[in-house]
């Protein structure tokens, strides 16, 4: 019996290895993403936007904890790209993370298949193209990771699940915006805010021109919906609100929150929230859904407002009159920060696993490494406008850091990112944080700019333990929340203020830490954390995938892709083939 499988099992060896990592019992979810330009006029001006399978925004990736997700991304743009799965933790596999520090770009006309397991996660996330400022032209979509049936959720099953992708928007495309930044110019005020790829409802004839398509969310009276709201924009913080409706906050970026009602919530670039919204109004009219620019001169920024419509199935008329007001806090800079501090972790709710979330007592773990990361307004380095983190403007190496490690290449990057901001003149370098595997890192994000910043870390969720105005000091630790600080992956840092996070470095790989504000990111406000298990084992990181792309110093290893044959297998046939292979290999791996 075994002998007859001999040849086949040799062929399937890499598969068996893969299966021991990903558990064959866990189901697969397949997606085909064709990334291309389409013409759309969200603000009434025709422009090229990035669509997925012809849709703008792209389709929602709806999967369940432990699913093996296979997404074949075909690049039909005129430039290289990578898809990043923001908030998806990519346990043991920065190979699939889709940022230039870990993966080579997918050249135009090529395709590349991402394969990862959404391990031990639930919640609301989104994907977006991470290179060349492409997010400013679209290419984004929602990601839902559902709980397994055996894991209860801390609220009754909602009657519907609605994704809202909102963000500031320019009628100039990403190449034009990129050029402005390369020329040392600020992007200026956005032209509007889109909600699900659409412009504002015409709530005011002067402010909104005729002929703009708006988003309508259809609901039934008395029902409760889970509304997942993501800020996928470039750099504008948005205040989100629904006229006459309470937003019961339930989840953010993979953690269940203590459930509290808000009339509006500030959602910063890159952040995701789930609200439970009950349709408890009398439907005498439709209701406005508003996303308005925050911390700006509102009389100048009136046009930078997204307006969609909440339409009850028994609605008696159109929404009319003024929009519900944003918080009036021009003279109270703590209002928004206090709101952020009020977002707490529900420590007794189960996340992805049966044990309650708070069973990991982060407050009693000793910190092993402390980093103060300080951002400043743009500076000039070698005659170019750049942004810095702790005095260093990150330069992406042509050979990804993870690949350089794999092939033991020297000199690609330096493992010398400073624990405190540099005081000398700013410099442009590929300087990376030396993470301590299984360490517990405290990171203080200090915003020395006059604009709001939000920071994101790949590969992890971190605990938000404190934020305040002024300069962080050792004494600030006295104010930390050591009990129910929320675990998430994107956090705001107010201008002239700091935010402190704690992160348990248990995920081996090379992980990006960056500002989510696209312009600051593009200009160098990021670095990576290198987390390596000093023990030689194959258990804590997945092997390099067979389809890894090569570039930079390793470019000679890359075989050309046969573009004509790549298109000959259709998605369905590929799925059948793959499933068959998985079944055969499961049997054989089990027999070995
Ligand atoms: C972007 O805009 C520029 C200038 O308006 C135009 O030349 C270019 O073709 C556009 N690019 C795409 C991909 O649409
Ligand atoms: C490209 O897509 C084809 C199917 O259309 C697939 O067989 C191939 O593995 C993909 N290439 C990569 C590098 O993922
Ligand atoms: C927290 O989660 C528990 C367990 O699911 C739930 O019973 C409780 O209502 C939640 N508490 C709050 C304040 O949201
Ligand atoms: C996601 O998929 C589940 C089934 O796995 C389904 O019950 C649910 O309605 C889907 N959600 C959305 C938003 O499509
Ligand atoms: C529309 O907006 C303009 C400009 O802000 C304002 O002057 C006008 O009063 C608004 N119209 C209505 C009907 O609210
Ligand atoms: C939130 O507001 C709704 C009414 O919209 C109310 O029924 C509910 O009790 C409130 N929940 C909390 C936790 O305050
Ligand atoms: C419906 O609710 C609105 C606002 O709460 C109120 O002004 C209006 O009178 C109500 N209409 C009816 C028919 O009850
Ligand atoms: C907002 O802009 C208007 C128009 O330029 C100006 O008159 C007003 O003083 C500004 N408000 C603030 C608070 O700066
Ligand atoms: C933390 O450090 C203190 C003293 O430095 C030590 O007593 C304590 O056992 C440590 N706690 C843990 C959980 O390692
Ligand atoms: C990185 O940190 C490890 C300990 O975690 C240390 O052994 C190593 O020397 C450090 N590397 C550099 C280049 O500082
Ligand atoms: C920036 O840092 C300098 C020096 O620490 C400080 O004087 C200034 O107030 C800071 N500005 C902001 C906006 O944080
Ligand atoms: C890890 O796997 C590689 C190839 O699969 C093998 O060459 C190496 O010996 C393994 N290392 C350990 C420590 O098991």
């Amino acid at each position: 019996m075994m002998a007859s499988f001999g040849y086949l099992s040799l062929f399937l060896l890499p598969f068996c290895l893969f299966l021991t990592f990903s558990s064959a019992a866990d189901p697969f979810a397949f997606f085909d993403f064709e990334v291309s330009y389409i013409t759309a006029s969200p603000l009434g001006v025709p422009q090229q936007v990035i669509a997925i399978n012809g849709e703008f925004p792209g389709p929602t990736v709806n999967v369940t904890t432990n699913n093996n997700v296979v997404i074949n991304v075909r690049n039909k743009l005129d430039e290289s790209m990578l898809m990043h799965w923001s908030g998806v933790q990519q346990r043991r596999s920065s190979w699939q993370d889709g940022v230039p520090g870990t993966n080579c770009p997918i050249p135009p006309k090529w395709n590349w298949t991402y394969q990862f397991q959404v391990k031990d996660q639930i919640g609301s996330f989104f994907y977006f193209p991470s290179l060349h400022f492409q997010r400013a032209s679209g290419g984004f979509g929602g990601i839902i990771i559902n709980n397994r049936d055996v894991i209860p959720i801390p609220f009754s099953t909602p009657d519907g699940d609605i994704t809202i992708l909102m963000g500031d928007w320019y009628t100039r495309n990403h190449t034009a915006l990129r050029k402005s930044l390369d020329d040392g110019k600020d992007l200026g005020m956005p032209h509007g805010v889109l909600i699900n790829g659409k412009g504002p409802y015409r709530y005011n004839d002067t402010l909104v021109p005729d002929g703009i398509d708006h988003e309508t969310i259809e609901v039934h009276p008395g029902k409760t919906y889970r509304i997942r709201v993501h800020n996928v924009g470039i750099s504008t913080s948005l205040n989100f609100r629904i006229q006459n409706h309470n937003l019961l906050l339930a989840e953010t970026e993979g953690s269940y929150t203590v459930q509290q009602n808000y009339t509006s919530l500030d959602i910063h670039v890159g952040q995701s929230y789930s609200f439970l919204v009950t349709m408890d109004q009398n439907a005498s009219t439709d209701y406005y859904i508003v996303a308005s620019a925050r911390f700006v001169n509102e009389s100048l920024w009136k046009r930078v407002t997204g307006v969609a419509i909440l339409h009850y199935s028994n609605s008696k008329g159109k929404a009319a009159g003024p929009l519900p007001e944003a918080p009036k806090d021009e003279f109270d800079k703590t209002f928004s920060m206090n709101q952020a501090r009020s977002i707490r972790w529900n420590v007794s709710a189960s996340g992805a696993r049966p044990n309650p979330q708070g069973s990991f007592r982060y407050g009693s773990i000793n910190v092993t490494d402390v980093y103060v990361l300080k951002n400043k307004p743009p500076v000039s380095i070698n005659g170019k406008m750049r942004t810095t983190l702790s005095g260093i403007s990150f330069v992406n190496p042509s050979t990804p850091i993870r690949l350089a490690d794999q092939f033991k290449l020297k000199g690609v990057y330096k493992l010398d990112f400073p624990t405190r901001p540099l005081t000398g003149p700013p410099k442009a370098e590929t300087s990376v944080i030396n993470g301590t595997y299984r360490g517990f890192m405290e990171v203080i994000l200090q915003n020395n700019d006059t604009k709001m910043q939000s920071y994101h870390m790949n590969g992890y969720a971190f605990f938000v333990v404190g934020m305040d105005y002024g300069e962080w000091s050792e004494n600030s630790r006295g104010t930390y929340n050591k009990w129910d600080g929320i675990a998430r992956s994107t956090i705001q840092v107010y201008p002239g203020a700091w935010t402190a996070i704690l992160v348990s470095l248990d995920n081996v790989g090379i992980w990006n830490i960056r500002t989510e504000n696209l312009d600051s990111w593009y200009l160098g406000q990021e670095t990576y954390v290198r987390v390596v298990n000093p023990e030689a084992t194959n258990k804590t990181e997945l092997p390099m995938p067979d389809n890894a792309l090569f570039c930079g110093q390793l470019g000679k290893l890359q075989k050309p892709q046969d573009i004509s044959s790549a298109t000959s297998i259709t998605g369905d046939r590929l799925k059948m083939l793959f499933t068959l292979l998985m079944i055969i290999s499961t049997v054989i791996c089990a027999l070995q």
Side-chain angles (χ1 to χ4, degrees):
M1 181 76 179
M2 280 313 293
S4 63
F5 277 119
Y7 172 75
L8 203 57
S9 63
L10 198 71
F11 163 72
L12 287 166
L13 209 64
F15 260 94
C16 297
L17 196 71
F18 169 75
L19 288 172
T20 56
F21 282 120
S22 68
S23 177
D26 296 322
F28 278 73
F30 295 91
F31 299 86
D32 284 309
F33 273 19
E34 186 176 287
V35 185
S36 69
Y37 295 117
I38 61 166
T39 303
S41 313
L43 294 174
V45 181
Q47 62 185 128
Q48 298 284 348
V49 305
I50 299 176
I52 312 288
N53 301 338
E55 294 173 44
F56 168 67
T60 302
V61 171
N62 178 20
V63 294
T64 300
T65 308
N66 293 348
N67 278 183
N68 293 297
V69 182
V70 182
I71 307 182
N72 192 354
V73 174
R74 189 170 299 281
N75 180 6
K76 294 214 162 168
L77 304 179
D78 57 354
E79 55 188 8
S80 63
M81 66 158 297
L82 281 171
M83 197 61 92
H84 172 58
W85 320 95
S86 185
V88 174
Q89 284 180 26
Q90 306 293 5
R91 303 301 296 179
R92 300 179 297 173
S93 188
S94 48
W95 299 113
Q96 307 292 336
D97 209 22
V99 284
T102 47
N103 308 138
C104 292
I106 308 169
K109 299 197 175 67
W110 286 37
N111 68 292
W112 198 73
T113 308
Y114 289 85
Q115 177 162 339
F116 50 86
Q117 189 175 22
V118 287
K119 195 80 189 141
D120 284 342
Q121 268 195 291
I122 52 95
S124 313
F125 313 96
F126 68 94
Y127 60 84
F128 68 87
S130 66
L131 300 183
H132 311 311
F133 223 72
Q134 285 159 358
R135 191 173 84 209
S137 283
F140 40 70
I143 301 176
I144 297 173
I145 307 182
N146 299 290
N147 57 297
R148 288 177 293 142
D149 285 342
V150 294
I151 309 295
I153 52 174
F155 42 83
S156 339
T157 306
D159 299 302
D161 198 311
I162 295 161
T163 291
I164 290 186
L165 299 150
M166 58 179 193
D168 55 1
W169 189 260
Y170 292 84
T171 54
R172 285 180 288 157
N173 65 32
H174 69 284
T175 53
L177 295 171
R178 212 161 70 198
K179 184 162 187 313
S180 294
L181 294 173
D182 290 340
D183 292 346
K185 293 190 211 113
D186 190 87
L187 297 182
M189 195 191 300
H191 298 112
V193 169
L194 304 192
I195 294 181
N196 288 348
K198 292 175 180 161
Y201 171 76
R202 200 171 188 206
Y203 71 98
N204 177 315
D205 288 354
T206 322
L207 290 170
V208 184
D210 198 7
I212 287 184
D213 193 17
H214 66 269
E215 176 72 338
T216 301
I217 307 283
E218 311 270 351
V219 293
H220 294 289
K223 303 280 189 209
T224 298
Y225 296 81
R226 180 171 185 170
I227 305 189
R228 304 175 195 253
V229 187
H230 310 270
N231 186 335
V232 296
I234 298 165
S235 66
T236 307
S237 296
L238 297 172
N239 180 266
F240 180 81
R241 50 199 189 272
I242 304 180
Q243 189 175 29
N244 285 10
H245 288 76
N246 267 332
L247 306 170
L248 184 64
L249 181 64
E251 179 256 344
T252 178
E253 296 159 17
S255 293
Y256 293 118
T257 63
V258 168
Q259 289 166 27
Q260 291 185 82
N261 277 321
Y262 294 86
T263 47
S264 73
L265 195 83
D266 291 339
I267 305 183
H268 306 277
V269 179
Q271 293 187 325
S272 303
Y273 287 98
S274 284
F275 302 108
L276 300 172
V277 183
T278 301
M279 302 306 149
D280 55 5
Q281 297 299 299
N282 61 24
S284 54
T285 63
D286 290 344
Y287 300 93
Y288 293 125
I289 299 173
V290 183
S292 60
R294 197 74 164 98
F295 318 116
V296 294
N297 183 333
E298 278 178 36
S299 65
L300 289 174
W301 282 63
K302 273 209 171 94
R303 280 193 168 80
V304 190
T305 303
V307 185
I309 291 298
L310 182 75
H311 175 79
Y312 280 44
S313 51
N314 63 340
S315 171
K316 291 170 207 74
K318 287 190 182 320
L323 300 179
E325 282 193 352
K328 287 260 165 268
D329 63 343
E330 297 89 334
F331 306 107
D332 177 9
K333 65 178 188 169
T334 57
F335 177 87
S336 178
M337 190 184 273
N338 282 339
Q339 186 184 59
R341 287 173 175 144
S342 75
I343 298 169
R344 299 299 175 96
W345 208 21
N346 181 341
V347 293
S348 58
S350 294
R353 272 175 288 153
N355 49 327
Q357 300 190 325
S359 56
F360 181 74
R361 295 278 156 74
Y362 70 85
S364 57
I365 299 170
N366 290 334
V367 166
T368 55
D369 309 79
V370 182
Y371 280 84
V372 177
L373 305 184
K374 184 177 196 168
N375 72 272
K376 290 196 170 194
V379 289
S380 173
I381 302 179
N382 304 327
K384 281 270 178 200
M385 178 168 77
R386 300 287 301 176
T387 53
T388 56
L389 204 51
S390 291
I392 301 169
S393 191
F394 190 80
V395 178
N396 270 299
S398 57
T399 314
I401 300 162
R402 185 64 197 85
L403 274 177
D405 278 0
Q406 182 79 5
F407 290 86
K408 303 191 165 59
L409 302 179
K410 297 265 176 278
V412 169
Y413 64 93
K414 291 184 190 165
L415 206 52
D416 64 350
F417 199 92
T419 57
R420 294 292 184 282
L422 299 179
T423 48
K427 52 185 187 178
E429 279 194 343
T430 308
S431 176
V432 171
I433 293 179
N434 184 12
T436 309
Y437 176 58
R438 296 223 160 114
F440 200 57
M441 187 164 74
E442 177 183 13
V443 181
I444 294 98
L445 304 160
Q446 181 82 49
N447 184 355
N448 198 232
D449 202 342
T450 51
K451 293 179 191 161
M452 177 71 78
Q453 296 282 330
S454 39
Y455 281 89
H456 178 87
M457 187 170 180
N458 293 2
Y460 293 95
F462 46 71
F463 299 95
V464 181
V465 294
M467 54 175 75
D468 209 348
Y469 285 97
E471 200 84 16
W472 178 88
S473 75
E474 308 272 328
N475 291 335
S476 308
R477 291 200 177 106
T479 67
Y480 283 6
N481 174 354
K482 296 207 155 187
W483 169 242
D484 61 357
I486 192 83
R488 61 186 307 172
S489 56
T490 314
I491 191 66
Q492 70 263 39
V493 191
Y494 290 82
W498 55 267
T499 296
I501 59 173
L502 296 176
V503 50
S504 173
L505 298 182
D506 58 357
N507 193 15
V508 171
I510 310 283
W511 305 107
N512 190 218
I513 180 163
R514 62 167 179 272
T515 178
E516 275 290 2
N517 302 55
L518 209 48
D519 45 355
S520 307
W521 182 18
Y522 180 76
L523 295 172
Q525 213 158 73
E526 63 172 328
T527 183
Y528 284 79
V529 183
R530 181 176 180 269
V531 182
V532 172
N533 184 349
E535 190 191 322
T537 166
N538 281 332
K539 293 204 181 81
T540 49
E541 195 183 21
L542 297 184
M544 183 178 79
D546 291 342
N547 64 353
L549 295 174
F550 299 105
C551 55
Q553 290 183 43
L554 298 166
K556 57 188 177 300
L557 298 179
Q558 181 61 48
K559 294 192 191 72
Q561 193 171 81
D562 184 351
I563 299 159
S564 56
S565 81
T567 46
S568 67
I569 302 181
T570 69
D572 282 345
R573 274 184 58 198
L574 175 71
K575 277 170 211 173
M576 264 177 57
L577 243 155
F578 204 95
T579 313
L580 200 69
L581 207 58
M582 290 314 298
I583 295 167
I584 298 171
S585 54
T586 308
V587 172
I588 292 173
C589 297
L591 284 172
Q592 277 186 342

